[in-house]
Amino acid sequence: MAPAKAESAVERDQRIGLQRIRDFLKVRTSYDVLPLSFRLIIFDTALLVKSSLTILIQNGIVSAPLWDSETSTFAGLLTTFDYINLIQYYWQNPESLNRIDQFKLNSLRDIERAIGVAPLETLSIRPTRPLYEACRSMLESRSRRIPLVDIDDETKRAMIVSVVTQYRILKFVAVNVQETQLLRKPLRILNLGTYKNLETAKMETPVFEVIHQLVNCNISSVPILNSDGVVTNVFEAVDVITLIKGGMYEELNQNVGEALQKRSDDFPGIYTCSIDDRLDTIFDTIRKSRIHRFVVIDEDNRLVGILTLSDILEYILLEGEGDDLKTE
């Protein structure tokens, strides 16, 4: 039998870096990720969908936990895709447009059943559980965020504490785990990200076509290319919220270029990287900037792939996991 191939210095550092990150996530709780001071907005399920949309826009957020005041229970997490589901319902039932403004959040389940899509996210975790468990739960459910729900010691009832996102977790790692600097393998070697069958659009593409792409492919963004394949922008699921504020569903008949002009002035822009960038530099960017994804481009700014936070989280949790177990 041929002798085992010797582990290179880069491979050893990569393995050690991943192990340090996992060790860190296993001893820290979701409480540790939360800032010292933060604001939490919770929607009652009896709230009108139209009102919830206004509140999201006014507060610059894209999701909120739901609370059923009749049963005093956590009722799920409202996200951008719930509004997109409402849009799909409108397209399939145009005669119901005049009733959309009267829909309440507790009617979203009926709408989602009517169009045959996944129901509201109801995943949650106790904030005292290890952060590693929160990460695994998000990966298994393909969720980008997870509500923290605790039990009140006196009333023994559920109590919504906050919501933790993939970005906040990865930034927490980038800031506190020095060994991310050991992750010196490039994306090309790691095969990290998506590089085939990419969904794209142009500035002239109607918004409703892009929404269908988001839904059918279960993705949160679509790169916008010019005729040469150069990346000029990204249409995100959250852009839909701005378009339909105030019940202006006719705005969805616009093309992508017109829709993107309505973005707020504080839009952070798109972040790019190359397939030869190393994971340590990716973490350094996450540490410095608020990022939801990286658009992978070549030297001519042409689209190569997409690297999502889910890709990164899955890699740091699962890559070589069996080897970790052997060393514990």
Side-chain angles (χ1 to χ4, degrees), residues 264-303:
S264 64
D265 294 335
D266 60 355
F267 177 70
I270 61 175
Y271 287 84
T272 62
C273 67
S274 83
I275 198 169
D276 293 312
D277 281 347
R278 305 183 321 195
L279 197 53
D280 60 340
T281 64
I282 296 295
F283 266 105
D284 191 49
T285 305
I286 292 173
R287 179 175 59 83
K288 297 175 181 177
S289 308
R290 186 172 185 82
I291 293 173
H292 300 293
R293 70 193 58 79
F294 292 87
V295 181
V296 186
I297 57 176
D298 64 14
E299 60 274 9
D300 297 316
N301 293 327
R302 291 188 176 90
L303 179 67

Side-chain angles (χ1 to χ4, degrees), residues 51-268:
S51 300
S52 71
L53 186 61
T54 300
I55 295 171
L56 289 182
I57 294 172
Q58 289 177 343
N59 290 276
I61 57 177
V62 297
S63 67
L66 298 177
W67 183 260
D68 187 331
S69 57
E70 292 188 1
T71 60
S72 295
T73 56
F74 168 67
L77 183 68
L78 181 72
T79 70
T80 304
F81 275 92
D82 294 306
Y83 295 102
I84 291 178
N85 290 336
L86 184 62
I87 292 169
Q88 290 193 96
Y89 178 82
Y90 152 58
W91 280 333
Q92 295 178 18
N93 304 274
E95 71 282 358
S96 301
L97 178 59
N98 60 345
R99 295 193 295 111
I100 283 185
D101 285 348
Q102 302 305 314
F103 286 163
K104 297 182 179 180
L105 293 178
N106 55 20
S107 66
L108 287 177
R109 290 187 186 278
D110 296 330
I111 291 171
E112 287 157 350
R113 277 195 295 266
I115 62 176
V117 298
L120 282 164
E121 295 180 13
T122 56
L123 175 73
S124 68
I125 193 168
R126 296 284 292 272
T128 53
R129 300 302 303 162
L131 195 53
Y132 184 85
E133 291 184 17
C135 295
R136 290 300 295 257
S137 294
M138 281 193 284
L139 286 182
E140 291 166 4
S141 64
R142 298 180 62 84
S143 300
R144 299 177 180 91
R145 52 185 57 81
I146 184 169
L148 307 181
V149 180
D150 210 348
I151 302 297
D152 187 273
D153 291 335
E154 295 183 3
T155 64
K156 305 303 179 183
R157 290 183 175 180
M159 175 180 61
I160 302 173
V161 176
S162 188
V163 177
V164 173
T165 63
Q166 291 179 343
Y167 164 73
R168 186 172 289 279
I169 291 173
L170 290 174
K171 183 179 179 69
F172 187 60
V173 169
V175 169
N176 293 285
V177 183
Q178 186 177 2
E179 285 82 1
T180 55
Q181 298 174 14
L182 298 177
L183 305 178
R184 293 183 284 115
K185 284 189 176 182
L187 301 180
R188 184 190 300 274
I189 299 299
L190 299 176
N191 195 28
L192 191 55
T194 301
Y195 301 93
K196 296 180 180 179
N197 303 319
L198 296 171
E199 293 291 323
T200 64
K202 297 182 177 181
M203 285 295 190
E204 300 76 26
T205 304
V207 168
F208 66 83
E209 289 187 14
V210 180
I211 290 178
H212 285 314
Q213 290 175 284
L214 295 173
V215 172
N216 295 336
C217 300
N218 191 28
I219 53 179
S220 61
S221 66
V222 174
I224 308 303
L225 313 181
N226 66 13
S227 57
D228 296 321
V230 172
V231 177
T232 59
N233 215 315
V234 173
F235 187 92
E236 304 179 351
V238 295
D239 289 317
V240 175
I241 291 181
T242 304
L243 290 179
I244 62 174
K245 64 180 179 181
M248 303 294 288
Y249 291 92
E250 61 272 15
E251 299 283 340
L252 299 170
N253 293 320
Q254 297 181 342
N255 62 38
V256 167
E258 293 169 327
L260 294 181
Q261 290 179 2
K262 294 180 170 59
R263 276 177 170 163
S264 64
D265 294 335
D266 60 355
F267 177 70

Side-chain angles (χ1 to χ4, degrees), residues 11-49:
E11 290 172 336
R12 182 183 67 251
D13 286 349
Q14 193 85 6
R15 175 176 54 79
I16 293 173
L18 292 175
Q19 183 62 57
R20 295 292 183 271
I21 292 173
R22 292 167 193 166
D23 290 344
F24 176 79
L25 293 173
K26 290 175 181 177
V27 299
R28 295 301 189 102
T29 70
S30 296
Y31 265 134
D32 297 326
V33 182
L34 302 180
L36 294 177
S37 176
F38 63 90
R39 175 182 55 184
L40 176 64
I41 295 175
I42 302 172
F43 290 155
D44 192 291
T45 54
L47 184 69
L48 290 173
V49 171

